[in-house]
Amino acid sequence: MTTTATPSYDALTATWLRLYRLGHLQSMASWDQAANMPPKGNTARGQALAEIAMLTHGMRTDPALKDHLARAKDEALSDAQRANLREIERNWFAANALPAELVERRALATSRCEYAWRTQRKANDWAGFAANLKSVLEVGREEARHLADRSGLSPYDALIDRFEPGMRGATIDRIFGEVKQWLPGMISRITARQASETTLAPQGPFDRAAQRALCERVMRVLQFDFDGGRLDVSSHPFSGGVPEDVRLTTRFRDDEFVQSLMGTIHETGHGRYEQNLPRELLGQPVAEARSMALHESQSLAFEMQVGCHPGFLGNIAPLIRDAFGDQPALATANLQRLLTRVQPGFIRVDADEVTYPAHVIMRYEIERGLIEGRYEVDDIPALWDEQMMTLLGVDTRGNFRDGPMQDVHWPEGLFGYFACYSLGAMYAAQWFATMRRQMPDLDAQISAGNLAPVFDWLRENIWLQGSRWTTDELAVRASGETLNPAHFKAHLEKRYLG
Amino acid sequence: MTTTATPSYDALTATWLRLYRLGHLQSMASWDQAANMPPKGNTARGQALAEIAMLTHGMRTDPALKDHLARAKDEALSDAQRANLREIERNWFAANALPAELVERRALATSRCEYAWRTQRKANDWAGFAANLKSVLEVGREEARHLADRSGLSPYDALIDRFEPGMRGATIDRIFGEVKQWLPGMISRITARQASETTLAPQGPFDRAAQRALCERVMRVLQFDFDGGRLDVSSHPFSGGVPEDVRLTTRFRDDEFVQSLMGTIHETGHGRYEQNLPRELLGQPVAEARSMALHESQSLAFEMQVGCHPGFLGNIAPLIRDAFGDQPALATANLQRLLTRVQPGFIRVDADEVTYPAHVIMRYEIERGLIEGRYEVDDIPALWDEQMMTLLGVDTRGNFRDGPMQDVHWPEGLFGYFACYSLGAMYAAQWFATMRRQMPDLDAQISAGNLAPVFDWLRENIWLQGSRWTTDELAVRASGETLNPAHFKAHLEKRYLG
């Protein structure tokens, strides 16, 4: 055994390296569960995943770690090591902040609520759902208080911090407050302008093998590394696996290919972030993706900034026609209209990039009020109806299924998550505003089929940075400022009203 | 906590249930590595599998287990619990019998030999291979002595016992000794008889999607449960996964479909054994498959006893023609000749069921001599050439690649394994002899497409028994006698000389 000057730091990194390696097996088993597993494997899979979760939880809550964390702070660490220690401590805090009995009650409440929700949603059964959600909210409030007591943050901030470290409700309030000022007016102007456009719907059926080949072809255009990842099919698309072996999923319908293609482009953004995290530190928390909003800034950079870019679309439209044969709806100009069609609707995950923030803002405001005790579960439908009418002009009364019952987040107790989606869209706009400032010919390059400037910038400024910096530091280093929603507004104005 | 009358037994079963659940993740990650994983995932996968192997090894070598094993023997156990305790102890012995440094030297020697073998085999480089194999043999002898000291068996018996518990070299000597008496003569008579037959080779290409669909169709005929398993592609076909979710693999060539189809039928036998192990005990060693030879008796029951049965073939030949279109070579009679063609050759895995035992017997005799110190690595080529000439009339001089370098077993240090293949073929013949005694219309049933009598018998007598009995006990309960190679001889005589 060699002795080092940083024994506690080394003990911590050894533990987290083991956790990383065991996490690999968890990730793969979870991916397989969604992409491959036949139904009769589910019970055994659940037991296996519970077993290793218990085991890794035991490693993260080993009492010896607390002393190591305290002592490591006084050890002679490099800046990178200190950043890693900060991330190790965040990870440790997440595992140790809650008493075991609360974790267990949380698991029971959320699994009961989520399981019942699957059928209650179809039946539009708000009353049944609300009864379970009340238990989830109760545990969520308790969780928030616990995390707040131990972190010194406010309860809701403590929940946000799990997903978006450093982000505060006050900041989101300011940002979303601005968006609410201009968004309804912008939506009206855009829909008025688009009312006179004619957009053709592509006519299926679209062969699934051809759809899959198209998706993989576009992933190659987006430089996804198939030697370090795959595309498969699951009922809910996601980006899984590990940085060394990224497993993306999509789903196909016979009558439609656009959702699957754009969904694949979205997941490819997540996937390339993972594939390009800093290799020399892989296995340590500092090498992990920075946050949920940053991750979403990559998927939306791919889906919205690049994927819906007219120059990019001009390059992949021939691939689309090559896959399915030509038809008027597959003309490049029509595809462009199809991808930038703005239409207020009920469903968040189906929303276009202009109306999407409205869905997020109202969820954010409602869940914040729920956690802070200003609202109760029974208040949700009225709040929902009012906000949907105000922000999107959509009447949701009585339609719980396509209203407050549409998302899995609340049944799963994921309070503090929703804002990340729109923060991600805003970060993505900010990255592209920065690129255009630094590379004035960026759009011409994209139109010419040269995506290297985009990927080089993202790799250098986001991907290779992992969790080396706080999100604010990373944003300033990359773009000269912290999150600034003006770039998102400018992006929408240019694309939809320019 | 409730107290029980069997605290040590309960502690042991709790540990082995955890090992079962963690083993689920190991099995799935290994299957994925062969069936899905892109090349860049391999290092991280290897590290993850090593991490969990170390972790489960730590659980199996926990010093507390030794006391529990001793105490559990005095607890009031049912017969089934006692059988489980016997299997737990076997598993514990396997993990604890060897000193850690020997395990490590073994891993180093075998991984170096196996890795170099992949290129040395292609280059026919016997000298290079032999140098590495000497290290593997040295460790293998040491391993055998250690296991012998701790088990009271002879060194080679101790190696066999890892794969085929209860089987002894003396028994195999007797059985293989008999086979050697009649096998060369039988091969001569069969090849002479077949010399006058005309057998057409099917003409490809054979569409891979059609091959896959055919394989799955035949798996359904063989009642593989696709709700509890899958068929995928890997470069070396195997049966993996877990009893609740069996993952079979095959491989396809454009110019040939028979190997893939018969290989799939073979793996389906392994798969159905796993899918039908006793459910109420699943998670405990007593619910696991009995042994390697028993497992092979199932795959060969499917491939040779059923798969090459003229009645069965009569039922699947239309599916084959349906998959690839009709051609003279796909006529049922020609397919039958193709599947029962006997031809001495170099390669064990390509051998027909008549010449296969010759390949096994010579390996068994050589490796036994190696472990017992009667032979050295440098003696192998001469022994090989002599045995191949005596048993099969094949001249292998100078062709090491297709001679003693063709198998991965010795590079991997798996001494004691080879015999199981032929013992499995003999058990399979014994099971079918028993079925025919009990159900005189068995062949008529198979020809009529009714496989239920076969599967019911196997389920009742083999699958549902798991590891409840020793192999000899199981054989006696199922067939009235321990392994009797006369049934195998009778099977070959009837099929090939009848």
Side-chain angles (χ1 to χ4, degrees):
Chain A
M1 296 287 284
T2 55
T3 57
T4 74
T6 56
S8 281
Y9 177 77
D10 296 345
L12 292 168
T13 55
T15 296
W16 261 267
L17 184 61
R18 291 185 65 202
L19 287 166
Y20 181 77
R21 291 173 174 174
L22 296 174
H24 177 120
L25 302 174
Q26 294 177 288
S27 294
M28 285 300 158
S30 299
W31 167 84
D32 180 271
Q33 190 171 29
N36 288 323
M37 194 188 70
K40 288 184 183 170
N42 199 44
T43 302
R45 182 64 51 88
Q47 289 166 338
L49 285 170
E51 189 67 50
I52 197 158
M54 208 158 68
L55 199 148
T56 54
H57 184 73
M59 289 169 66
R60 284 193 176 89
T61 52
D62 178 347
L65 295 177
K66 195 171 182 178
D67 293 339
H68 281 311
L69 282 165
R71 281 199 292 268
K73 287 179 188 166
D74 296 327
E75 292 177 346
L77 302 179
S78 69
D79 289 348
Q81 289 175 319
R82 208 157 286 283
N84 192 35
L85 182 60
R86 178 194 68 214
E87 296 303 313
I88 286 175
E89 190 162 19
R90 267 181 42 73
N91 194 294
W92 175 85
F93 178 82
N96 286 270
L98 301 178
E101 69 80 26
L102 177 57
V103 173
E104 195 179 334
R105 267 191 297 131
R106 184 189 193 286
L108 285 173
T110 56
S111 79
R112 189 176 53 224
C113 187
E114 192 272 332
Y115 186 79
W117 164 78
R118 300 183 205 176
T119 42
Q120 287 164 341
R121 185 187 174 197
K122 289 189 191 106
N124 202 35
D125 175 14
W126 171 257
F129 176 66
N132 289 331
L133 188 59
K134 283 173 190 171
S135 306
V136 174
L137 176 59
E138 199 178 314
V139 179
R141 284 170 173 167
E142 212 177 318
E143 191 180 9
R145 278 196 301 275
H146 259 284
L147 294 171
D149 286 348
R150 298 204 51 179
S151 65
L153 299 174
S154 77
Y156 188 66
D157 281 355
L159 293 183
I160 300 172
D161 207 73
R162 298 179 299 177
F163 307 111
E164 197 52 35
M167 183 53 72
R168 301 287 173 260
T171 309
I172 303 176
D173 277 349
R174 175 176 57 73
I175 292 171
F176 284 2
E178 283 179 34
V179 175
K180 280 172 76 176
Q181 296 302 311
W182 52 259
L183 188 63
M186 182 187 282
I187 293 170
S188 300
R189 285 197 301 284
I190 296 172
T191 49
R193 175 195 276 227
Q194 292 186 345
S196 59
E197 285 179 8
T198 307
T199 306
L200 303 173
Q203 298 302 307
F206 302 99
D207 179 69
R208 285 174 190 231
Q211 287 192 61
R212 188 182 182 126
L214 172 66
C215 284
E216 293 188 346
R217 212 166 156 187
V218 172
M219 285 169 76
R220 287 200 169 83
V221 171
L222 295 168
Q223 296 178 24
F224 181 83
D225 181 0
F226 278 98
D227 284 341
R230 296 171 51 96
L231 176 69
D232 292 272
V233 172
S234 72
S235 59
H236 296 280
F238 68 102
S239 166
V242 294
E244 303 91 340
D245 183 359
V246 169
R247 304 291 173 96
L248 306 185
T249 71
T250 187
R251 60 183 159 197
F252 299 114
R253 288 168 46 169
D254 294 325
D255 62 341
E256 218 282 327
F257 74 91
V258 176
Q259 277 186 18
S260 166
L261 176 60
M262 297 312 290
T264 300
I265 293 174
H266 180 98
E267 300 305 336
T268 303
H270 287 306
R272 290 214 63 200
Y273 190 3
E274 292 288 318
Q275 286 186 329
N276 288 279
L277 288 167
R279 284 295 150 141
E280 68 283 10
L281 298 164
L282 222 53
Q284 293 299 321
V286 72
E288 288 172 19
R290 174 62 273 185
S291 68
M292 290 301 142
L294 261 286
H295 233 306
E296 204 64 18
S297 85
Q298 299 312 296
S299 53
L300 292 171
F302 275 59
E303 181 188 358
M304 298 302 180
Q305 297 293 331
V306 173
C308 297
H309 188 288
F312 176 78
L313 195 63
N315 286 303
I316 65 160
L319 308 185
I320 295 172
R321 292 188 289 268
D322 191 39
F324 306 123
D326 206 356
Q327 58 170 277
L330 300 187
T332 307
N334 187 70
L335 286 169
Q336 180 64 37
R337 284 194 297 274
L338 210 60
L339 289 182
T340 51
R341 189 88 190 156
V342 174
Q343 203 155 23
F346 293 107
I347 304 296
R348 176 182 61 83
V349 297
D350 294 341
D352 56 82
E353 65 175 328
V354 182
T355 58
Y356 196 103
H359 293 274
V360 166
I361 290 170
M362 54 173 286
R363 284 162 175 76
Y364 164 76
E365 292 185 346
I366 292 172
E367 71 171 26
R368 185 165 180 179
L370 290 169
I371 292 297
E372 293 177 349
R374 288 179 283 112
Y375 303 145
E376 296 300 332
V377 167
D378 291 335
D379 300 325
I380 295 175
L383 291 163
W384 195 278
D385 294 340
E386 186 202 327
Q387 292 261 36
M388 284 295 283
M389 185 51 74
T390 306
L391 293 170
L392 292 175
V394 168
D395 183 355
T396 53
R397 285 174 299 179
N399 186 352
F400 308 106
R401 176 178 30 212
D402 300 328
M405 290 177 75
Q406 70 183 265
D407 299 303
V408 77
H409 301 61
W410 289 343
E412 286 190 342
L414 297 177
F415 303 106
Y417 192 110
F418 276 124
C420 300
Y421 293 117
S422 286
L423 300 177
M426 292 170 188
Y427 276 120
Q430 185 162 331
W431 309 147
F432 274 79
T434 306
M435 284 182 226
R436 288 194 175 90
R437 214 164 54 231
Q438 294 172 357
M439 301 177 274
D441 67 340
L442 187 79
D443 293 288
Q445 293 287 348
I446 293 173
S447 300
N450 180 18
L451 296 172
V454 172
F455 297 143
D456 289 347
W457 192 95
L458 292 174
R459 183 186 295 106
E460 198 55 45
N461 288 281
I462 314 287
W463 302 340
L464 285 179
Q465 303 307 320
S467 287
R468 178 72 174 78
W469 319 100
T470 67
T471 313
D472 277 354
E473 284 168 353
L474 180 134
V476 170
R477 293 173 67 96
S479 66
E481 58 185 336
T482 58
L483 181 58
N484 177 359
H487 300 296
F488 180 62
K489 185 177 181 225
H491 158 68
L492 297 182
E493 281 171 339
K494 178 162 172 258
R495 177 171 286 173
Y496 294 91
L497 296 167
Chain B
M1 297 288 284
T2 54
T3 56
T4 74
T6 56
S8 281
Y9 177 78
D10 296 346
L12 293 169
T13 55
T15 296
W16 261 267
L17 184 61
R18 292 186 64 202
L19 287 166
Y20 181 78
R21 291 173 173 174
L22 296 173
H24 176 120
L25 302 174
Q26 295 176 289
S27 294
M28 285 300 157
S30 299
W31 168 83
D32 180 272
Q33 189 170 31
N36 288 321
M37 194 189 69
K40 288 184 183 170
N42 198 45
T43 303
R45 181 64 50 90
Q47 289 166 339
L49 286 169
E51 189 67 50
I52 198 157
M54 207 157 68
L55 200 148
T56 53
H57 184 71
M59 289 168 66
R60 284 193 176 89
T61 52
D62 178 347
L65 294 178
K66 194 171 182 179
D67 292 340
H68 281 310
L69 282 164
R71 280 200 293 268
K73 287 179 191 167
D74 296 327
E75 292 177 347
L77 302 179
S78 70
D79 289 347
Q81 289 175 318
R82 208 157 286 283
N84 192 36
L85 182 60
R86 177 194 68 212
E87 296 304 314
I88 287 176
E89 189 163 21
R90 267 181 43 73
N91 193 294
W92 175 87
F93 178 83
N96 287 270
L98 300 178
E101 69 81 27
L102 178 57
V103 173
E104 194 179 332
R105 266 192 296 131
R106 183 188 194 285
L108 284 173
T110 55
S111 80
R112 188 175 55 225
C113 186
E114 192 273 331
Y115 186 79
W117 164 78
R118 299 185 205 175
T119 43
Q120 287 164 340
R121 185 186 174 198
K122 290 187 190 105
N124 201 36
D125 175 14
W126 169 257
F129 176 67
N132 290 328
L133 188 59
K134 284 173 189 170
S135 306
V136 174
L137 175 59
E138 199 178 314
V139 180
R141 286 169 172 169
E142 213 176 319
E143 191 181 9
R145 277 195 303 274
H146 259 284
L147 294 171
D149 286 347
R150 298 205 50 181
S151 65
L153 298 174
S154 77
Y156 187 67
D157 281 355
L159 294 183
I160 299 173
D161 206 71
R162 299 179 300 177
F163 307 110
E164 197 53 34
M167 182 54 71
R168 301 287 173 259
T171 309
I172 302 176
D173 278 349
R174 176 178 53 76
I175 291 172
F176 285 1
E178 283 179 33
V179 174
K180 280 171 76 176
Q181 297 302 312
W182 51 258
L183 188 64
M186 182 186 283
I187 293 171
S188 302
R189 284 197 300 285
I190 296 173
T191 51
R193 173 197 278 229
Q194 291 186 345
S196 59
E197 284 180 5
T198 306
T199 305
L200 302 173
Q203 299 302 307
F206 302 98
D207 179 68
R208 285 174 190 232
Q211 287 192 61
R212 189 185 180 121
L214 172 65
C215 283
E216 292 188 346
R217 215 167 154 184
V218 172
M219 285 169 76
R220 286 201 170 82
V221 171
L222 294 168
Q223 297 179 23
F224 181 83
D225 181 0
F226 278 97
D227 284 340
R230 295 171 52 95
L231 175 69
D232 292 272
V233 172
S234 72
S235 58
H236 296 280
F238 67 104
S239 167
V242 293
E244 303 90 339
D245 182 0
V246 169
R247 302 291 173 98
L248 307 185
T249 72
T250 186
R251 60 182 160 197
F252 298 114
R253 288 168 47 167
D254 294 325
D255 61 341
E256 218 283 326
F257 73 91
V258 177
Q259 276 185 18
S260 166
L261 176 60
M262 296 312 289
T264 300
I265 293 173
H266 180 97
E267 300 305 336
T268 302
H270 287 307
R272 290 214 65 200
Y273 189 4
E274 292 288 318
Q275 286 186 329
N276 290 280
L277 289 166
R279 285 294 150 142
E280 68 283 7
L281 299 165
L282 222 52
Q284 293 300 322
V286 71
E288 288 171 20
R290 173 62 275 182
S291 68
M292 290 302 142
L294 262 284
H295 233 307
E296 205 65 19
S297 86
Q298 298 312 296
S299 53
L300 293 171
F302 275 59
E303 180 187 359
M304 298 303 181
Q305 297 293 331
V306 174
C308 297
H309 189 288
F312 176 79
L313 194 64
N315 286 305
I316 66 160
L319 308 184
I320 295 172
R321 293 189 289 267
D322 191 39
F324 307 122
D326 205 356
Q327 57 172 279
L330 300 186
T332 307
N334 188 69
L335 286 170
Q336 181 65 38
R337 283 194 296 275
L338 210 59
L339 289 182
T340 50
R341 189 89 190 152
V342 174
Q343 201 155 25
F346 293 107
I347 306 295
R348 175 182 60 86
V349 296
D350 294 340
D352 56 82
E353 65 175 329
V354 181
T355 58
Y356 197 104
H359 293 274
V360 166
I361 290 170
M362 55 173 286
R363 283 161 176 76
Y364 163 77
E365 293 185 346
I366 293 172
E367 70 171 25
R368 184 167 182 178
L370 290 169
I371 292 296
E372 293 176 350
R374 288 179 284 113
Y375 303 144
E376 295 300 330
V377 168
D378 291 336
D379 300 326
I380 295 175
L383 291 164
W384 196 277
D385 294 339
E386 185 201 330
Q387 292 261 36
M388 283 295 282
M389 187 50 76
T390 306
L391 292 171
L392 292 175
V394 167
D395 182 357
T396 54
R397 285 174 298 177
N399 186 352
F400 308 106
R401 177 176 30 212
D402 299 328
M405 291 177 75
Q406 69 184 267
D407 298 302
V408 77
H409 302 61
W410 289 344
E412 285 190 342
L414 296 177
F415 303 107
Y417 193 111
F418 276 124
C420 299
Y421 293 117
S422 286
L423 300 178
M426 293 169 188
Y427 275 122
Q430 186 161 330
W431 308 149
F432 274 79
T434 307
M435 284 182 229
R436 287 193 176 91
R437 211 163 55 232
Q438 295 171 357
M439 302 177 275
D441 66 341
L442 187 80
D443 294 288
Q445 292 289 347
I446 293 173
S447 301
N450 180 19
L451 297 171
V454 173
F455 298 144
D456 289 347
W457 192 95
L458 292 174
R459 183 185 297 107
E460 198 55 45
N461 289 282
I462 314 287
W463 304 340
L464 285 177
Q465 303 307 319
S467 288
R468 178 72 175 80
W469 319 101
T470 67
T471 313
D472 277 353
E473 285 168 352
L474 180 133
V476 171
R477 293 173 67 94
S479 65
E481 58 186 335
T482 58
L483 182 59
N484 177 358
H487 300 295
F488 180 63
K489 184 177 182 224
H491 158 69
L492 297 182
E493 281 170 340
K494 177 161 174 262
R495 177 171 286 173
Y496 295 91
L497 297 167

